Amino acid sequence: MKMIRLWMFLFTLTALAFPALNVSGQTLSSEELQSSLVERRAVDAVIWGLPLVGEDTVKQAAFRDGKAKYNDIVWWPKGSWKNQSPTPNVNTRYMYFFCNTKQDGPVVVELPPAVPGASFYGTIEDAWYAPLTDIGFEGKGGKYLVLPPNYKGAVPDGYTVVRPATYNTMTLLRSILDSSSEADLKAGNDLVKQVKVYPLSQAANPPAQRLLDMSNVMFNGLVHYDASFFTSLARMVNEETVQPRDLAMMGMLLPLGIEKGKEFKPDAATVTQLNSAAAEAHAWLMDRATKDGTPWWPDSQWVIPTPPITMPTAFHWEVPNYFAVDSRAIALSQYFCPTAKLGTGSFYFASFHDHDGNPLEGGNNYKLHVPANVPVRQFWSATVYSLETSSFFLNAPNLTLGSLNTDLKKNADGTVDLYFGPKPPAGQESNWLYTQPGQKWFPWFRVYGPEKAIMDKSWKLPDIEKAS
């Protein structure tokens, strides 16, 4: 027994006296071990915190670039590549507004019903981009009341109550026109001016609604995968509620210097590590985005641009045995503000590869043959994005094509050929979308008002083919 105790004592002394070994047999000092821990935790923090930082980034862009405040509406009556948001659409006129119930208490959102020629469709999201409720679907208007977390006060009659688990919410609202006619444009603009967002405490005399036109403003709403990511994350951790599912991660943030109630002040060495970790996380997210989409048709390169767990959980990422942090990040690195019920008002397809399975390269030329009579109640469109940013190519001369384009050339049988590449084929300028050489890209094929044939997969979109 004495020999065993002596051996254990000597083993303990040896462990304390000598540094640890890594898998290569090389020794790591205490400082190196801690540094390695920080970088691992930082990569995981990006993957976990991406939705929170993503929404904060769009909000800060509205405040900084649009000079907006909470409850103001920023919008794009004319689509532009300057809207650098994740996979934005220019076939519908985007509107964003942000509410903070910690600041204002319950907030009212008033939405008018559709009129001939114009309607709305959008979603109220919590601070993690978890969809709370779709609004405007099937032309319905109404008054929505967004409450603070765990609100116990009285709720007046006449409102659809929205109960987020966070103080911050973002609403993405689409102003949808039936056509580009002057009559529909006027109807849409008049309808937009009727949207109201204000604190319930001011319901008796709501303030004038601020509607800020962003058409010609450079709007930088994209996450930066560098140390600034963690500055945003620390700010939102301090500002928001902590949900039970995130308690373990809150502990794992401590080595990064992120803790609720404390200022985030990384030193120069830590900033270097955070830059490296954020870049690594971004590379992983881009890679998984091209591989983890949900296949829609057999033997097709078109996918729903989100991992398979997404649709069964309605963008909430939770099943009985786990919470899909990785899948949530992969999905929300590509887009923002998912709908509460995908496939009712809209549906989206993405492709990262041509028919032969090769990545889509900006320097190549491609063709997409769209069948006649796409089964939609409203319209279809194809839009091109950079894989690196999940947004428009800067200075792109054109952004989207679809059934609303009056100059789109149709074949004799009603089919449409779309062309992608650095330059248009001769005579096909009206059917061409720009891609930037040296960058990978992907398209979204959107359908608004999808019919049964899309949802039951009896209609199929052909793959993109590389052109000679």
Side-chain angles (χ1 to χ4, degrees):
M1 183 63 71
K2 290 182 178 179
M3 288 298 295
I4 293 175
R5 289 177 179 171
L6 177 60
W7 180 84
M8 293 180 64
F9 176 73
L10 292 174
F11 180 82
T12 302
L13 286 179
T14 302
L16 292 173
F18 291 94
L21 298 177
N22 67 14
V23 292
S24 302
Q26 298 173 326
T27 58
L28 295 176
S29 68
S30 176
E31 290 78 11
E32 289 170 328
L33 287 169
Q34 183 64 16
S35 176
S36 179
L37 173 70
V38 168
E39 188 143 354
R40 291 197 310 273
R41 292 284 178 81
V43 171
D44 287 338
V46 172
I47 294 169
W48 168 78
L50 181 62
L52 195 62
V53 171
E55 185 167 307
D56 181 55
T57 301
V58 179
K59 179 176 68 178
Q60 297 304 326
F63 291 178
R64 179 190 64 245
D65 303 331
K67 313 304 179 188
K69 299 177 181 178
Y70 286 113
N71 306 329
D72 291 343
I73 300 173
V74 294
W75 83 306
W76 286 262
K78 296 179 180 179
S80 168
W81 63 265
K82 292 182 178 181
N83 180 5
Q84 289 289 298
S85 300
T87 53
N89 185 10
V90 293
N91 292 110
T92 61
R93 288 110 55 86
Y94 269 25
M95 306 168 66
Y96 309 160
F97 54 87
F98 306 86
C99 303
N100 187 329
T101 58
K102 180 182 286 186
Q103 169 185 290
D104 291 328
V107 175
V108 177
V109 177
E110 287 191 25
L111 190 70
V115 297
S119 61
F120 290 116
Y121 181 63
T123 307
I124 302 175
E125 317 271 335
D126 76 6
W128 290 90
Y129 281 147
L132 302 170
T133 186
D134 292 333
I135 59 177
F137 179 58
E138 295 183 336
K140 296 177 182 177
K143 288 186 177 182
Y144 298 83
L145 187 62
V146 181
L147 298 178
N150 302 313
Y151 182 75
K152 305 298 183 184
V155 177
D157 294 334
Y159 295 95
T160 298
V161 174
V162 182
R163 293 184 179 272
T166 61
Y167 292 107
N168 283 279
T169 60
M170 174 182 174
T171 299
L172 167 58
L173 189 61
R174 303 164 186 86
S175 168
I176 302 175
L177 305 180
D178 288 354
S179 75
S180 56
S181 70
E182 287 297 323
D184 287 353
L185 183 63
K186 182 179 185 304
N189 289 344
D190 290 345
L191 208 60
V192 165
K193 293 174 184 176
Q194 297 177 47
V195 179
K196 306 294 181 186
V197 187
Y198 54 86
L200 178 65
S201 61
Q202 299 179 23
N205 186 26
Q209 182 64 53
R210 292 221 310 161
L211 184 65
L212 306 172
D213 186 339
M214 303 295 293
S215 299
N216 295 312
V217 176
M218 187 65 196
F219 184 92
N220 188 354
L222 300 176
V223 169
H224 291 265
Y225 291 93
D226 55 29
S228 67
F229 183 101
F230 301 91
T231 300
S232 171
L233 182 61
R235 175 172 58 246
M236 294 310 296
V237 163
N238 269 303
E239 190 169 320
E240 273 302 345
T241 59
V242 178
Q243 299 180 50
R245 70 178 185 222
D246 295 323
L247 283 172
M249 192 65 206
M250 296 295 289
M252 293 176 69
L253 295 177
L254 298 179
L256 309 183
I258 297 177
E259 183 176 0
K260 193 170 183 66
K262 292 188 177 181
E263 185 179 1
F264 178 57
K265 297 174 64 176
D267 58 25
T270 301
V271 168
T272 299
Q273 289 182 289
L274 298 179
N275 282 325
S276 174
E280 179 183 335
H282 185 211
W284 182 82
L285 290 166
M286 283 195 295
D287 178 69
R288 299 322 305 174
T290 67
K291 295 178 172 64
D292 288 5
T294 303
W296 192 246
W297 298 286
D299 303 318
S300 172
Q301 299 294 345
W302 290 101
V303 300
I304 309 305
T306 194
I309 194 174
T310 305
M311 294 178 66
T313 63
F315 298 98
H316 285 84
W317 324 105
E318 189 168 356
V319 292
N321 295 326
Y322 65 91
F323 185 85
V325 174
D326 289 351
S327 293
R328 181 179 67 176
I330 293 164
L332 295 176
S333 67
Q334 301 174 73
Y335 56 81
F336 67 164
C337 292
T339 60
K341 294 182 180 179
L342 184 64
T344 51
S346 60
F347 204 68
Y348 312 138
F349 302 100
S351 183
F352 299 92
H353 303 90
D354 65 19
H355 178 69
D356 296 323
N358 298 313
L360 298 172
E361 300 282 355
N364 295 336
N365 296 307
Y366 300 91
K367 177 181 175 180
L368 172 62
H369 185 70
V370 181
N373 303 315
V374 177
V376 294
R377 296 186 299 277
Q378 292 175 297
F379 67 88
W380 64 263
S381 67
T383 309
V384 164
Y385 303 105
S386 160
L387 179 61
E388 182 177 350
T389 66
S390 291
S391 194
F392 299 131
F393 289 115
L394 299 181
N395 299 301
N398 53 0
L399 303 173
T400 190
L401 291 170
S403 56
L404 294 180
N405 291 84
T406 56
D407 59 347
L408 193 71
K409 290 184 178 180
K410 293 184 178 181
N411 301 318
D413 60 358
T415 62
V416 174
D417 292 320
L418 302 181
Y419 300 88
F420 308 90
K423 295 181 180 179
Q428 298 294 343
E429 289 80 4
S430 63
N431 286 38
W432 164 75
L433 288 172
Y434 169 79
T435 63
Q436 183 172 319
Q439 288 202 37
K440 289 183 171 61
W441 64 279
F442 64 94
W444 269 25
F445 192 92
R446 288 176 167 90
V447 289
Y448 277 84
E451 298 281 11
K452 180 176 181 292
I454 290 179
M455 304 313 297
D456 68 13
K457 307 183 185 183
S458 58
W459 178 87
K460 184 177 181 180
L461 182 65
D463 287 339
I464 293 173
E465 301 273 359
K466 185 178 178 182
S468 57

